Amino acid sequence: MAKQKTVKDIMVPIGEYEKVDVEVRLCDALAVLKKNYESAKVCASGRFHKTVFVVDASKNITGKLSMYDLIRGLVPESFKRLEFPRKEAYVRTPRVWEVEEKVEELRERLGWLSHSFADLVKQEAQKKVKDIMGPVHPILKEEDTINQAIYLMFRENVRQPLVVRKGQVVGVIDFMRIFSELLEIAGPECYVDLRS
């Protein structure tokens, strides 16, 4: 029987990822991702990291910017804190002006939906990375098995858990790495030719 692989065997070393300072703007992080994307277009594999890690002044990883985080960052802050009035509030109150105030507030806060995407990007690209970054989750150790990694990823709802060694981040596990392992193992049995 083959030796069971561990997280260390399939993780992406943290050094392969670009890092940006917590104080830079969203557009600076986008420039880094664009550079990676452009490089990948000329590279044979066409693969590139779609996540940038965020570091503080001490170079400690404090967050991450995935494509999801970047696009979520385009949503204006006023909308994120928006509380939609409950339907019953309109039915129960006889005071029409309260309803009109709420509707007007909604109209103002949702106004960005009627602007062009280009306008939205130009407006929101000046946000700081620290305001839109996602959290990081150092929940795996190098000696954990792939089964343990999958379990923790789903239990904690974490797509890219960090791998630590003696308290230091040394790598990242993502679904593509696990999927590659799945294909390698199941490929012959499922008649999947991995050479094509």
Side-chain angles (χ1 to χ4, degrees):
M1 185 187 321
K3 175 185 171 277
Q4 180 168 279
K5 287 187 177 180
T6 64
V7 163
K8 182 179 182 177
D9 298 319
I10 68 167
M11 72 181 188
V12 180
I14 196 67
E16 287 187 18
Y17 285 88
E18 296 282 348
K19 294 164 192 79
V20 296
D21 189 87
V22 71
E23 293 296 329
V24 302
R25 299 170 301 150
L26 170 58
C27 57
D28 299 319
L30 286 171
V32 169
L33 282 173
K34 183 173 191 265
K35 180 187 78 163
N36 289 351
Y37 175 71
E38 295 296 328
S39 297
K41 288 195 321 191
V42 297
C43 167
S45 72
R47 295 189 338 206
F48 72 102
H49 293 300
K50 300 163 196 78
T51 298
V52 174
F53 285 96
V54 181
V55 295
D56 61 17
S58 302
K59 302 299 180 204
N60 295 318
I61 296 174
T62 60
K64 69 176 181 61
L65 284 174
S66 65
M67 287 189 163
Y68 175 82
D69 298 315
L70 288 165
I71 293 169
R72 185 190 66 207
L74 294 175
V75 177
E77 290 304 313
S78 62
F79 180 74
K80 289 179 186 172
R81 293 185 304 272
L82 183 60
E83 291 182 28
F84 290 97
R86 293 183 19 216
K87 189 175 183 180
E88 303 87 52
Y90 294 124
V91 176
R92 290 182 186 160
T93 179
R95 296 176 282 195
V96 175
W97 59 88
E98 286 181 16
V99 173
E100 288 174 354
E101 285 176 7
K102 287 285 184 194
V103 169
E104 186 56 35
E105 178 184 355
L106 285 173
R107 215 178 265 134
E108 284 177 29
R109 287 186 165 185
L110 294 174
W112 65 276
L113 291 173
S114 61
H115 297 150
S116 74
F117 184 64
D119 289 342
L120 177 64
V121 170
K122 287 175 188 170
Q123 173 186 321
E124 299 301 321
Q126 301 309 313
K127 286 181 177 177
K128 295 270 181 137
V129 164
K130 66 182 177 185
D131 297 326
I132 63 169
M133 68 184 187
V136 289
H137 305 277
I139 61 173
L140 296 173
K141 298 179 296 237
E142 289 179 302
E143 61 273 11
D144 288 338
T145 66
I146 297 173
N147 290 358
Q148 289 170 317
I150 292 168
Y151 169 73
L152 288 169
M153 289 169 81
F154 283 96
R155 186 188 80 191
E156 301 296 326
N157 195 25
V158 176
R159 293 181 185 164
Q160 291 179 300
L162 300 181
V163 181
V164 294
R165 177 192 316 134
K166 296 180 184 173
Q168 294 296 315
V169 175
V170 292
V172 180
I173 292 290
D174 61 29
F175 286 118
M176 284 309 297
R177 290 293 172 132
I178 294 172
F179 185 67
S180 294
E181 285 298 309
L182 182 149
L183 286 178
E184 186 176 312
I185 295 165
E189 197 170 303
C190 299
Y191 307 105
V192 177
D193 184 0
L194 299 178
R195 293 170 289 175
S196 56

